Amino acid sequence: MTDTWLKALILVCTFGAVLLLVEVLVSAFASSRMAGNAINLRLKLIAQGRSRDETMGLLRRRSSALPSNLPEGLKRLGERFERLLIMAQVAVPTGRLMLILLLAPIAIFFLLMLTMASLGIAIGAGRLLMIAVFAGALGTFLPIMVLQYKATKKRKKMEEQFPVALDVFVRGLRAGHPIAAALDLLTVEMPDPIGSEFGVVVDEVTYGAELRDALQAMAERWDLDDMRMFVVSLSVQNETGGNLAEILDNLSTVIRERHSMMLKVRALSSEGRMTAVMLTILPVFAFTFLFIMNPGFYLDVADDPAFIPGFVTLIMMYSIGFYIIRKMVDLKV
């Protein structure tokens, strides 16, 4: 075989391999996108082989992994963390995720200690404090901030989807469907996060819970006043009677007007909120990035006697500022 034929054969084989690889990647992307558009998180979990009971437990986290003998303050923090996971729609058991967030900074701390010991770097009290803060920021604080951002984004989307879900529910009632069947329409017609949440409500009713209690639990999980008004409307209609479709249609109009007012308030306060975000994230990001790129910038001054009290004061001032900023930008409409 001549060199010309050999080069031609290599080119043909290369072209065939690249074409096959592109076809596999395009097919995988198309199938995943179709699956994502067709089902929400609840139906994805069921399609993966999980039972409805297990899926419902992951999405509503009714069976808490928190010990029952915790102090009241730690118990409230744990409940807030579970609510954060619900709003972020993280399909990981609470106990496993808490264990990961607990062990990650410890692993990072000992890895850095082992690295410094292997390089022959002296380890003092100031450096120990610096490494511990860095490990905590990288292993726990930054992941929690990511979860908080994801939960806030999902909560905003839930607020935007809720009037649309009411419209779908009202159309189902006017078409002659009973309340349970109209709710079941939302579980397959609406995307996440509201599709999965109404799916949990339908599963709870299927297992014998009262519809009002299931909807009230959903409102408490997401802490949304719109859902509470929806529950009150259903309760009042159940007690006094009346046209439920017309009541919910009026409620949808009220919620849209309230949401419009909230958007105006957010637009007027956007500069302050963005400033709060930058003042909160920038110190942690700058400290973490600079410690990774140039650890000597901090470690060279860590042995100074004034470093430990100054660093502890800095962390306390950052925590106080973080709390005050969060209270200032937490606007209620």
Side-chain angles (χ1 to χ4, degrees):
M1 183 178 295
T2 62
D3 293 341
T4 303
W5 282 104
L6 185 59
K7 291 179 181 179
L9 182 60
I10 293 174
L11 289 174
V12 170
C13 292
T14 304
F15 175 77
V18 172
L19 184 63
L20 181 62
L21 179 62
V22 169
E23 184 180 356
V24 170
L25 292 177
V26 169
S27 300
F29 177 75
S31 61
S32 63
R33 186 165 183 177
M34 288 176 60
N37 290 334
I39 56 177
N40 50 46
L41 178 61
R42 169 179 168 268
L43 297 180
K44 283 182 182 178
L45 293 175
I46 294 175
Q48 290 173 2
R50 298 179 185 265
S51 64
R52 289 201 171 192
D53 192 16
E54 185 180 2
T55 301
M56 186 170 57
L58 281 175
L59 292 177
R60 69 176 183 172
R61 298 182 186 272
R62 180 65 60 85
S63 55
S64 175
L66 300 174
S68 57
N69 56 352
L70 280 178
E72 190 63 28
L74 291 178
K75 187 175 181 180
R76 281 200 297 267
L77 286 176
E79 291 174 351
R80 289 181 60 184
F81 180 70
E82 286 192 328
R83 181 177 293 179
L84 178 68
L85 296 181
I86 290 172
M87 290 191 289
Q89 288 197 315
V90 178
V92 180
T94 305
R96 185 186 305 172
L97 194 57
M98 292 178 66
L99 186 63
I100 292 173
L101 292 177
L102 179 65
L103 294 180
I106 298 175
I108 294 173
F109 177 79
F110 281 107
L111 181 61
L112 291 175
M113 292 288 293
L114 183 62
T115 303
M116 293 179 64
S118 62
L119 295 176
I121 301 175
I123 301 175
R127 295 185 177 184
L128 279 176
L129 177 62
M130 177 70 66
I131 293 172
V133 172
F134 172 76
L138 187 62
T140 301
F141 189 73
L142 287 180
I144 289 178
M145 290 184 70
V146 172
L147 287 174
Q148 182 70 45
Y149 170 76
K150 187 177 180 181
T152 303
K153 190 175 179 181
K154 291 281 187 181
R155 193 171 187 271
K156 290 178 183 176
K157 190 174 181 181
M158 174 73 83
E159 292 176 347
E160 295 172 358
Q161 288 180 319
F162 194 69
V164 181
L166 283 182
D167 292 340
V168 175
F169 184 67
V170 168
R171 286 198 295 269
L173 292 177
R174 287 174 174 169
H177 294 290
I179 294 180
L183 283 177
D184 195 43
L185 284 175
L186 300 176
T187 66
V188 294
E189 295 292 338
M190 297 296 296
D192 279 332
I194 202 166
S196 296
E197 284 300 316
F198 274 109
V200 171
V201 171
V202 171
D203 288 342
E204 288 180 339
V205 173
T206 303
Y207 281 105
E210 292 289 336
L211 177 61
R212 181 183 179 279
D213 295 337
L215 290 172
Q216 183 66 36
M218 182 179 69
E220 294 300 327
R221 283 196 299 270
W222 288 84
D223 192 22
L224 289 178
D225 293 332
D226 298 341
M227 290 185 178
R228 294 190 179 99
M229 289 191 290
F230 174 57
V231 176
V232 171
S233 300
L234 284 179
S235 301
V236 171
Q237 192 275 338
N238 189 32
E239 293 291 335
T240 62
N243 190 343
L244 180 60
E246 184 177 354
I247 293 173
L248 296 182
D249 196 13
N250 295 331
L251 177 61
S252 176
T253 304
V254 172
I255 290 175
R256 281 190 167 89
E257 293 177 354
R258 181 173 176 270
H259 187 64
S260 177
M261 176 64 69
M262 184 176 63
L263 290 179
K264 292 179 181 178
V265 172
R266 290 182 62 84
L268 294 174
S269 63
S270 59
E271 182 181 356
R273 289 186 293 106
M274 183 55 64
T275 303
V277 170
M278 295 303 297
L279 290 176
T280 301
I281 295 178
L282 189 59
V284 179
F285 177 78
F287 169 72
T288 305
F289 182 76
L290 191 56
F291 192 90
I292 292 174
M293 300 302 297
N294 185 19
F297 182 83
Y298 294 107
L299 297 179
D300 290 343
V301 298
D303 295 328
D304 192 280
F307 175 78
I308 294 180
F311 193 68
V312 172
T313 304
L314 181 65
I315 294 175
M316 292 177 60
M317 292 178 64
Y318 175 80
S319 302
I320 295 172
F322 177 80
Y323 176 78
I324 293 174
I325 288 173
R326 288 297 300 271
K327 289 296 182 182
M328 290 176 63
V329 300
D330 188 15
L331 302 176
K332 302 293 185 181
V333 180

